[in-house]
Amino acid sequence: MDTQLQKVMDTAYACMQACNHCFNECLKEDDIDMVRECIRLDRECADMCQMVLSYAGREGVLQHDLISLCEKICQACGNECAQHEHMEHCQECAKACFACADACRAFVSA
Amino acid sequence: MDTQLQKVMDTAYACMQACNHCFNECLKEDDIDMVRECIRLDRECADMCQMVLSYAGREGVLQHDLISLCEKICQACGNECAQHEHMEHCQECAKACFACADACRAFVSA
Amino acid sequence: MDTQLQKVMDTAYACMQACNHCFNECLKEDDIDMVRECIRLDRECADMCQMVLSYAGREGVLQHDLISLCEKICQACGNECAQHEHMEHCQECAKACFACADACRAFVSA
Amino acid sequence: MDTQLQKVMDTAYACMQACNHCFNECLKEDDIDMVRECIRLDRECADMCQMVLSYAGREGVLQHDLISLCEKICQACGNECAQHEHMEHCQECAKACFACADACRAFVSA
């Protein structure tokens, strides 16, 4: 597999884990009211990363398009999570989202 | 496709839609604090129904086992949703969950 | 749910079933050599339909984009299957693919 | 995340990639006739690994059961692939399947 695609997959794998962990922790937050959008985006982002993991490496017709959508949702989820400065799971999630978005952007623009 | 399997699929399709709708509405509830477990189970149940939809009809090795797990999570999600008597989306979701659980049980025990 | 989106979901559900059935039957064909691309596209199309089923109704950020990709892969899969005139599962699959592509196109251009 | 669960995820990630690569290469084999079952099981195993990746780390109700099913399909897929001694992708796939099956077994029996 080419290096850029493997980078997309590895960051998507890390991002999916971070999003699922964040989803889980958000549901336990005392202040769940302020992480509603986070919960929604964590799920959407995790599902998209999972889709990319499943498609990448199959030489599929949609690979390029899906990685482009993955960049979009990782950016959105990262932006949302980054706002919650006092929640460690959100900060970690934002970091993983931005790393995946970067890898997707590099792949798509190559 | 045999009738019982088609019934599993059709109820799983309806259940997945009901769970995703419920997930969505729960995230908008003023009283989000009391639907934390509902949100978690809605996602888990929707994903499992989706898995059954994807596997059923492929004559896969795991079809029987997956339908058995689907019964388990539908029952759990239905029980949780049923408790929220004043939330229409939860009541509808519980109904769809129990219908799917019934269809799965009938298939597995056939 | 709006009518056009429900149409997308119902045709995607039928299409996913047709693709999985076609995938299954192609793997049993004496002349498997000529359905290689069909097998690959059946899987990719079924997975994309499944993704749309999972996302639609959640008011997700990517809903519109995913339905647009679904149209693309349904068209590709339908075109491939349509060529195998003597295989009933391919003809049925092509029909379901084109119906889903039509519904996706109507939704996206609305 | 506990070590055994992380092991399940890492081997499931590698197994999913190996299965998708094998699926892809099998569809290009001159002797596609002898890898029919391999193609079917590669898809089923990849999907199951993907499911485990998606569920693990969410503290879900079904986590234990899904990892148990993953062990079953990895074993089945590994046994099938292992028979094709002259196909490198099948040998690699078998290796990844057995590694994942081992990790699942260790987790489930812990």
Side-chain angles (χ1 to χ4, degrees), chain D residues 29-101:
Chain D
E29 285 289 344
D30 288 339
D31 204 358
I32 188 172
D33 183 53
M34 67 171 293
V35 287
R36 294 167 188 261
E37 197 53 22
C38 212
I39 293 171
R40 183 194 312 280
L41 286 169
D42 279 339
R43 184 185 178 192
E44 198 168 352
C45 191
D47 285 356
M48 194 65 220
C49 287
Q50 183 194 346
M51 188 77 169
V52 163
L53 289 178
S54 167
Y55 266 80
R58 274 200 264 155
E59 306 176 11
V61 177
L62 301 178
Q63 180 176 285
H64 197 272
D65 292 313
L66 286 169
I67 292 174
S68 174
L69 290 194
C70 194
E71 191 267 326
K72 189 174 175 176
I73 192 72
C74 284
Q75 198 61 45
C77 189
N79 287 342
E80 179 66 29
C81 281
Q83 293 173 34
H84 308 133
E85 297 180 10
H86 61 298
M87 295 184 188
E88 203 187 317
H89 54 85
C90 281
Q91 291 305 308
E92 279 172 21
C93 190
K95 218 168 125 182
C97 286
F98 292 142
C100 186

Side-chain angles (χ1 to χ4, degrees), chain A residues 3 14 29 34 37 43 45 69 72 96-97 99-100 110:
Chain A
T3 325
E29 285 288 344
M34 66 169 296
E37 196 54 22
R43 183 186 179 191
C45 192
L69 290 194
K72 191 175 174 175
C97 285
C100 186

Side-chain angles (χ1 to χ4, degrees), chain C residues 35-52:
Chain C
V35 288
R36 294 168 188 261
E37 197 54 22
C38 214
I39 294 170
R40 183 195 311 281
L41 286 167
D42 279 340
R43 183 185 178 191
E44 197 167 351
C45 192
D47 284 355
M48 193 67 219
C49 287
Q50 183 194 346
M51 188 76 169
V52 162

Side-chain angles (χ1 to χ4, degrees), chain C residues 5-26:
Chain C
L5 185 55
Q6 189 63 56
K7 189 79 189 287
V8 167
M9 291 191 73
D10 291 339
T11 54
Y13 176 48
C15 185
M16 187 195 69
Q17 287 195 63
C19 285
N20 280 329
H21 178 68
C22 189
F23 175 89
N24 221 30
E25 296 304 312
C26 281

